[in-house]
Amino acid sequence: MSVTNTSGRRKTAVARIYLKDGAGAITVNGKDHKVYFPTLPLQYIVNQSLEVSELTGQYDITVNVKGGGVKGQAEAVRLAIAKAIVELDAEKKPALRAKGLMTRDNRMVERKKPGRAKARKKFQFSKR
């Protein structure tokens, strides 16, 4: 029984997954994924790669994820699972690519600039 190990990233979240044959259990940081990601949209994001490739319930997935917020973490897990599926079966890649699940979303928070309130917002202008 082989274990496939991949990683996925989104914003500042990094997910490392270990995918092996099993009954479909997804464990995130030692908890069930439905406990770690309590809302349905986040659970859908995590399961999306498996649903598109029609592999739901065939693999046990152990996830270590850190950094970022829950949405970024969920999307990092989704990318890692998609990469692991392609590693096992390259024929699944076109279907995952068509749904945009193979692309690393590289949008990051813009840094704060000196002399500004935030990245682009300026301090209030006072004429006098």
Side-chain angles (χ1 to χ4, degrees), residues 62-119:
T62 306
V63 182
N64 293 325
V65 64
K66 64 180 181 182
V70 285
K71 174 93 186 237
Q73 287 186 349
E75 292 182 6
V77 171
R78 176 176 69 183
L79 176 62
I81 292 171
K83 286 165 68 174
I85 290 167
V86 169
E87 212 171 285
L88 291 172
D89 184 6
E91 291 176 14
K92 305 278 186 195
K93 189 170 186 175
L96 291 166
R97 168 87 57 211
K99 293 282 186 183
L101 303 180
M102 290 302 300
T103 306
R104 197 296 201 192
D105 191 344
N106 62 358
R107 294 176 295 173
M108 299 288 276
V109 175
E110 192 172 338
R111 78 177 190 89
K112 184 196 173 299
K113 317 297 190 305
R116 298 268 176 101
K118 298 197 298 189

Side-chain angles (χ1 to χ4, degrees), residues 7 11 14-15 17 19 21-23 28 36 47 52 54 56 59 64 80-81 92 95 118 123-124:
S7 66
K11 292 187 177 182
V14 181
I17 72 153
L19 186 130
D21 292 328
V28 182
Y36 194 85
N47 289 317
V52 168
E54 298 167 356
T56 308
Y59 294 103
N64 293 325
I81 292 171
K92 305 278 186 195
K118 298 197 298 189
F123 293 114
Q124 185 172 342

Side-chain angles (χ1 to χ4, degrees), residues 12 22 73 127:
T12 56
Q73 287 186 349
K127 196 165 190 177

